[in-house]
Amino acid sequence: MVVFLMSHATLQTGTYNVRHIATGQYVVLKDTKRRSTLIALQDSHFEHLAWVLEKLSGLENTYNIRSFLQNTFARIGRSPKAGADLVSGTESCPWIIRPAGFSDIYFISPYSNLSLYWTLVKTRDGTYATLTDNPKHNAYWQFRKMSA
């Protein structure tokens, strides 16, 4: 496996791993069910770490985030509010992935609410990925392009 660190602000359609800056953990699916929870792990196999970003035409910084392993989309578990779990599902859900302002670090927000951000609230493996309304609360992510 070859991993490339992205060196520019706009992400292209492609396969990436999604790494949490504060913990160094990666977002993965908890299991292989069609509807699964997104959790954090320190490491795993390629297919578990891989997410396909699909840039949506005509919308700036807007993407679908799809699991390479399950072919399901990252979604919000319930209404978009702080504390909501991130899950996977069969229906696409657009996300805004925008630069956080420094060194290839990004915020991930629901398209419907830019004041919410992906986060991890704990540092242990298996921690659920959730939404926060505080961009300074462990809301920084890095995308590393993957190639087999």
Side-chain angles (χ1 to χ4, degrees):
M1 171 179 60
V2 178
V3 177
F4 303 98
L5 187 60
M6 296 309 298
S7 61
H8 48 79
T10 301
L11 297 167
Q12 301 303 314
T13 293
T15 303
Y16 298 82
N17 63 39
V18 184
R19 184 176 156 273
H20 189 248
I21 295 302
T23 66
Q25 295 169 302
Y26 298 93
V27 172
V28 300
L29 294 176
K30 181 178 180 181
D31 51 44
T32 56
K33 296 177 183 172
R34 293 299 287 165
R35 184 168 168 89
S36 182
T37 304
L38 277 63
I39 63 169
L41 288 180
Q42 199 61 41
D43 200 7
S44 191
H45 300 288
F46 170 88
E47 61 272 7
H48 293 277
L49 296 175
W51 293 90
V52 178
L53 296 187
E54 299 166 336
K55 189 161 178 31
L56 301 180
S57 179
L59 298 171
E60 187 175 1
N61 298 326
T62 307
Y63 304 82
N64 285 325
I65 303 173
R66 183 172 45 85
S67 165
F68 180 87
L69 177 66
Q70 281 297 103
N71 199 33
T72 55
F73 296 93
R75 304 185 46 78
I76 302 167
R78 54 180 192 247
S79 62
K81 63 182 181 181
D85 290 338
L86 301 176
V87 299
S88 66
T90 56
E91 292 184 30
S92 64
C93 175
W95 297 93
I96 301 292
I97 301 174
R98 61 192 189 279
F102 48 89
S103 186
D104 298 321
I105 308 300
Y106 296 86
F107 293 121
I108 308 170
S109 298
Y111 182 78
S112 61
N113 189 338
L114 296 180
S115 67
L116 296 173
Y117 309 87
W118 282 27
T119 191
L120 298 177
V121 293
K122 297 180 182 173
T123 59
R124 69 177 181 263
D125 276 3
T127 295
Y128 286 8
T130 63
L131 293 175
T132 183
D133 56 6
N134 182 352
K136 295 182 181 176
H137 185 257
N138 297 321
Y140 301 115
W141 300 88
Q142 191 169 50
F143 290 82
R144 292 185 177 178
K145 193 156 190 175
M146 302 176 81
S147 174

